[in-house]
Amino acid sequence: MTPNSIRLGVDIGGTFTDVVLEKDGATFSAKVLTTYAAPEDAIIDGMHQVCAKAGVDPSEVGQIIHGTTLATNALIERRGAKTALITTEGFRDVIEMRTESRFEQYDLNLNLPDPLLPRQMRFTVPGRVDAKGAVLVDLDRADVEAVVDKIAEAGFESVAVGLIHSYLNPAHEELVRDVLAEKLPAVSVSISSEVSPQMREYERFNTVVANAYIKPLMASYLGRLEDRLKAEGVSCRIFLMHSGGGIISIQNAAEFPVRLVESGPAGGAVFAANVAARYGLDKVLSFDMGGTTAKICLIKHQTPKTARVFEVARTYRFKKGSGMPISIPVIDMVEIGAGGGSLAHVDAMRQIRVGPESAGSEPGPACYGRGGTRPAVTDADLVLGKLDPDTFAGGSIPLHPARSKSALAAHVGDTLSMDGVEAAFGVAEVVDENMANAARVHAVENGEDLSDYTMIAFGGAAPLHAGRLCEKLGVNRLLVPPGAGVGSAIGFLRAPFSFEANRSVYMRLSDFDAGRITAILSDLKAEATGFVRTCDAVSPILSEFKVYMRYTGQGWEIPIDLTEAQAMAPDAATFEALFEQEYTKLFGRPVAGMDIEITVWSVNATTPPETVARVAETQGAPTTDAEGTRQVFDAAAAKYLAAQVVNRADMGEGALVSGPAAIVEDETTVIVPASRDAIRQPDGCIDVISKGATP
């Protein structure tokens, strides 16, 4: 057996921790409730479960790939380290002043989110670098030492350093770091020229503050995880999934934990892209619904869409601009508080609202019987017949329908004069419409028509809701892959080793400097490749080049992909043609007579993607493998219908089940509406299509 023939994927979510073991092409999975006080406990528990199922000892595991929401949750819940910010004189309040944008333009009483660090935790030093990287005012070491003495006296655990224009000239930031290392060796330090060397001070300062804020927490957790695994006899290397859809070493993850903020959802997008490649699908809507949130991502040509800035913890109805901007490479997706644990209530306008507050795993939805009294989406699904109370999570968590009904009545039904079924229907429709609306907006923002797309659904709650979501969006085809309930953890095992390096260097095409461009991109390539080599010393590495361009005077830029030949032998006419082509795609036409400028340069180094074989799809034939029927509420019909109950494991290749139906397995249940049929494809995917259509 080769060292890496047994691999473990671990995804810590807000409600469940998913563990997947892959051995010689077979997968074994487990879902355990997340243990908030010590997240590593759930990992160890899940590891033992999957090892027992696979008949292997934990010491035989050759590789572990891990993704987690711990970094995200620490930022949302404001429970990071006691952190200080050192910045340039005159810029102390940048992270509080934000930008001139208002996320709710007509709200006269608008409250902006509080900065991660209050003003008394922000310190300034003299010294100034200009917009071209030249030193205008020298930074004196004595001034830095005076500030560091104040930080020492206050007992800070972590320090973020963000100075003006340090992305062009990091010398002053490096001086501050050196002084901190000498005088406070036990304090964690993050500098913005390493964490996020990009223009726009608000986003850069906020990113380095976020990195410093969660760095001690994540370093402590990752250290404890390594120790616990070693105590269990596991001596293999541990890798972390990062937000851009690749894998980095545990050491790099501990140094740059802000890159882990969207690691779990990124694994799901990689999982969906892998399924899309098996089916040759160029337009896919990835739908990941777990216990706390729902994530929607557009995948074109088997590649998830990426961005370099995203927001954490949006405070105002998930509106853009109301959260905490993080400027790192990330898979671009929309995320809303709509998971199985999302809590429902009636607002002052007598409207049903769902989320963003979640019951999580402690105490969980009312039906868990763990002390929760407020209704969650899972409670509505249980009342509507989508879940079997005796087989939820493989029977490990018995559900209590009576408690669901009581909670729905107390918090929704009594207020709106509804019975339990009406209340459950209302909650389910609201959460489904919230997700459908988020998908519509995301598609419109990207100029896409979702009727041309295939949905791929995964996560414990997604297969329960995906059929209804397709009805609302006009999507004719839905694929639910094997292992959908633990999709993100499987995605970790499909991801390449990769790292994206980027840097802001302003240049107009009218001042095009081919030699300087080649030097910038060569340096970034070397930096990104170096990170990948810390994970994989032998595999070939591919380099993907990208520049961000805009017309002079515009506020934001668009990404332009370059081939390696275009990057290493840059030509102004080529750059202009590529920009105008992409700009026309997005906005309809180019702007004549305007100079064009480049603001950010980016190189992503990655090991080659996994080779996948195309599935020989079948149109299916009716099957009689139903175990029986149960009453499942069909939203389109607005009533209960007798639905076939079919065990997914009993469906042979090409088996066709006509909706309404519930296709059950340990991790989740696929609800097939009356308007759809479901076919079991050769690779195990459940292919849910509109009646009369063909795959």
Side-chain angles (χ1 to χ4, degrees):
M1 183 177 293
T2 60
N4 288 340
S5 61
I6 299 177
R7 305 169 72 216
L8 202 70
V10 180
D11 178 30
I12 297 181
T15 304
F16 286 99
T17 293
D18 299 337
V19 182
V20 171
L21 185 143
E22 189 173 65
K23 175 188 175 186
D24 301 327
T27 58
F28 307 86
S29 63
K31 290 180 84 74
V32 296
L33 289 172
T34 295
T35 48
Y36 288 104
E40 62 273 17
D41 290 349
I43 294 177
I44 300 301
D45 184 9
M47 179 183 71
H48 282 298
Q49 291 186 34
V50 294
C51 285
K53 290 178 182 180
V56 301
D57 189 86
S59 62
E60 297 179 71
V61 174
Q63 187 182 78
I64 296 175
I65 302 175
H66 178 22
T68 175
T69 61
L70 294 177
T72 313
N73 293 342
L75 291 173
I76 292 172
E77 297 168 14
R78 304 292 178 104
R79 52 177 182 82
K82 184 178 180 181
T83 303
L85 169 66
I86 299 177
T87 188
T88 305
E89 279 186 352
F91 293 87
R92 181 181 183 185
D93 298 316
V94 164
I95 63 172
E96 188 160 0
M97 293 169 64
R98 301 169 62 91
T99 66
E100 65 183 6
S101 301
R102 289 173 61 88
F103 49 83
E104 184 60 32
Q105 188 171 357
Y106 300 107
D107 186 349
L108 299 180
N109 299 310
L110 183 67
N111 290 317
L112 296 175
D114 291 331
L116 202 55
L117 304 182
R119 197 168 196 269
Q120 65 270 24
M121 292 184 173
R122 308 194 295 260
F123 302 83
T124 64
V125 291
R128 188 67 183 269
V129 173
D130 70 12
K132 294 183 179 180
V135 175
L136 293 176
V137 179
D138 287 325
L139 179 59
D140 190 275
R141 184 183 181 91
D143 291 323
V144 178
E145 290 177 342
V147 169
V148 172
D149 288 341
K150 293 178 184 177
I151 288 172
E153 186 179 348
F156 287 98
E157 303 168 80
S158 188
V159 179
V161 184
L163 304 181
I164 289 298
H165 302 309
S166 62
Y167 55 88
L168 290 171
N169 184 348
H172 286 179
E173 285 195 351
E174 291 168 355
L175 171 60
V176 175
R177 179 178 59 187
D178 292 344
V179 174
L180 284 164
E182 290 173 16
K183 297 178 75 70
L184 299 174
V187 170
S188 174
V189 180
S190 301
I191 65 173
S192 73
S193 53
E194 290 183 349
V195 174
S196 179
Q198 299 185 54
M199 59 185 285
R200 296 194 175 91
E201 311 309 331
Y202 169 51
E203 288 82 0
R204 180 163 58 89
F205 289 2
N206 210 80
T207 303
V208 73
V209 166
N211 193 80
Y213 189 72
I214 60 177
K215 192 173 179 179
L217 170 76
M218 293 304 298
S220 172
Y221 162 67
L222 293 172
R224 295 197 314 270
L225 177 61
E226 279 192 300
D227 292 344
R228 287 292 305 276
L229 288 169
K230 285 177 182 175
E232 299 292 331
V234 180
S235 58
C236 65
R237 291 189 70 185
I238 305 169
F239 299 96
L240 275 293
M241 186 78 184
H242 64 69
S243 306
I247 301 165
I248 56 176
S249 68
I250 194 170
Q251 293 79 17
N252 289 332
E255 184 65 25
F256 303 109
V258 74
R259 291 222 176 200
L260 307 179
V261 167
E262 288 290 285
S263 65
V270 171
F271 177 59
N274 182 269
V275 175
R278 295 207 304 265
Y279 282 81
L281 299 171
D282 287 334
K283 292 186 176 183
V284 161
L285 181 68
S286 161
F287 172 44
D288 176 5
M289 184 177 178
T292 306
T293 57
K295 284 76 67 175
I296 293 164
C297 176
L298 297 177
I299 298 173
K300 295 190 72 174
H301 308 294
Q302 293 103 53
T303 304
K305 187 177 182 295
T306 58
R308 61 184 182 85
V309 179
F310 71 105
E311 288 182 347
V312 177
R314 289 185 178 176
T315 59
Y316 191 96
R317 299 182 181 178
F318 302 100
K319 282 203 169 186
K320 186 176 181 179
S322 68
M324 186 187 306
I326 304 292
S327 107
I328 58 168
V330 63
I331 289 179
D332 187 20
M333 61 184 73
V334 60
E335 184 171 352
I336 65 171
S342 295
L343 295 170
H345 67 280
V346 178
D347 67 10
M349 300 292 291
R350 294 176 58 83
Q351 295 177 327
I352 296 174
R353 299 290 183 189
V354 180
E357 187 181 1
S358 174
S361 62
E362 298 171 4
C367 59
Y368 280 19
R370 295 164 61 91
T373 59
R374 296 169 61 188
V377 174
T378 297
D379 293 301
D381 289 339
L382 181 61
V383 170
L384 297 177
K386 296 179 182 181
L387 295 171
D388 184 335
D390 299 321
T391 61
F392 183 73
S396 63
I397 304 176
L399 301 183
H400 306 274
R403 297 187 184 190
S404 293
K405 291 177 182 176
S406 297
L408 284 161
H411 293 271
V412 178
D414 292 349
T415 305
L416 301 177
S417 301
M418 294 178 171
D419 60 26
V421 173
E422 279 185 300
F425 179 29
V427 169
E429 275 294 277
V430 166
V431 76
D432 289 346
E433 186 56 38
N434 285 347
M435 292 184 293
N437 192 50
R440 293 185 194 105
V441 170
H442 193 50
V444 168
E445 288 176 345
N446 287 277
E448 298 293 331
D449 179 1
L450 289 180
S451 64
D452 299 331
Y453 276 66
T454 296
M455 182 181 291
I456 296 178
F458 53 94
L464 297 165
H465 293 261
R468 179 57 176 158
L469 206 56
C470 286
E471 289 181 333
K472 287 177 173 289
L473 294 172
V475 172
N476 289 319
R477 188 180 191 188
L478 161 68
L479 288 172
V480 184
V486 291
S488 288
I490 295 175
F492 299 160
L493 302 177
R494 303 286 172 265
F497 293 107
S498 75
F499 191 88
E500 183 174 329
N502 48 47
R503 186 181 305 163
S504 283
V505 178
Y506 178 84
M507 184 184 296
R508 293 191 179 191
L509 290 193
S510 57
D511 300 319
F512 197 82
D513 185 339
R516 190 181 183 201
I517 291 171
T518 302
I520 292 169
L521 293 175
S522 296
D523 287 348
L524 290 173
K525 178 181 177 181
E527 179 186 340
T529 301
F531 275 97
V532 175
R533 283 293 178 228
T534 65
C535 303
D536 188 327
V538 297
S539 294
I541 294 179
L542 309 175
S543 296
E544 300 165 350
F545 299 84
K546 191 179 293 183
V547 292
Y548 290 81
M549 304 175 69
R550 66 189 183 189
Y551 284 113
T552 302
Q554 290 185 326
W556 286 89
E557 46 282 322
I558 61 175
I560 307 298
D561 293 318
L562 303 174
T563 65
E564 185 152 8
Q566 291 166 341
M568 293 296 103
D571 173 73
T574 301
F575 276 50
E576 181 177 6
L578 291 171
F579 170 74
E580 289 188 343
Q581 177 184 329
E582 196 62 32
Y583 193 90
T584 301
K585 249 188 231 181
L586 287 171
F587 303 110
R589 64 179 181 85
V591 180
M594 292 285 289
D595 201 356
I596 298 166
E597 55 195 23
I598 306 167
T599 61
V600 179
W601 312 77
S602 171
V603 179
N604 183 49
T606 177
T607 53
E610 180 183 276
T611 302
V612 297
R614 282 289 302 273
V615 173
E617 300 173 46
T618 177
Q619 294 187 15
T623 182
T624 56
D625 292 334
E627 297 179 344
T629 62
R630 74 169 183 244
Q631 293 294 304
V632 176
F633 196 92
D634 188 273
K639 63 181 180 181
Y640 284 99
L641 298 176
Q644 300 180 74
V645 178
V646 180
N647 193 308
R648 184 168 185 162
D650 294 337
M651 291 181 70
E653 181 179 320
L656 183 148
V657 176
S658 186
I663 301 173
V664 300
E665 56 184 305
D666 283 351
E667 289 90 8
T668 188
T669 297
V670 182
I671 297 298
V672 184
S675 63
R676 312 269 156 158
D677 291 331
I679 302 167
R680 197 272 197 184
Q681 293 292 352
D683 66 339
C685 276
I686 303 300
D687 195 350
V688 182
I689 56 174
S690 299
K691 287 186 174 176
T694 56

